[in-house]
Amino acid sequence: MIDRETMLYEIMALDFAGTDLNLYLDTHPDDKDSIELYNVISKKRTELVKSYETMFGPIDPRGYVNSDSTWDWIENPWPWNKPKDGRC
């Protein structure tokens, strides 16, 4: 099984690649190979974030939808305050 830190690094790498391709596609909108690669990266990132959030909780507030009357997103430790061994 992949650990939390590894998953976060993979998500960051996919974010970087997706942003880089997005900028490229802004100036080369007809590059079909790059569009296909962007779609693959975006799908992989979506799947990885879903897996991460299932195992460790929301990665950012946009993934948090469980609060009815109290904004308890901040009750969990922030990612940088969590132990390095992956325990919460």
Side-chain angles (χ1 to χ4, degrees):
M1 180 198 298
I2 191 169
D3 66 19
R4 169 185 272 141
E5 187 173 343
T6 302
M7 288 181 86
L8 285 173
Y9 281 123
E10 287 188 23
I11 291 167
M12 287 188 292
L14 292 168
D15 282 342
F16 181 85
T19 299
D20 193 45
L21 273 169
N22 175 230
L23 293 170
Y24 173 80
L25 287 166
D26 284 348
T27 59
H28 301 81
D30 298 321
D31 186 335
K32 292 186 187 329
D33 291 335
S34 293
I35 292 169
E36 183 178 329
L37 181 57
Y38 180 85
N39 291 336
V40 168
I41 289 171
S42 293
K43 182 178 179 187
K44 184 171 182 173
R45 184 199 183 277
T46 298
E47 292 168 356
L48 190 57
V49 167
K50 184 177 179 181
S51 294
Y52 180 93
E53 289 182 338
T54 297
M55 291 191 296
F56 304 112
I59 200 164
D60 65 32
R62 291 171 290 190
Y64 186 73
V65 294
N66 295 324
S67 185
D68 293 325
S69 61
T70 301
W71 186 244
D72 53 1
W73 152 260
I74 61 172
E75 289 183 13
N76 290 320
W78 295 97
W80 52 87
N81 291 333
K82 294 180 181 175
K84 294 200 184 291
D85 62 6
R87 292 180 290 145
C88 289

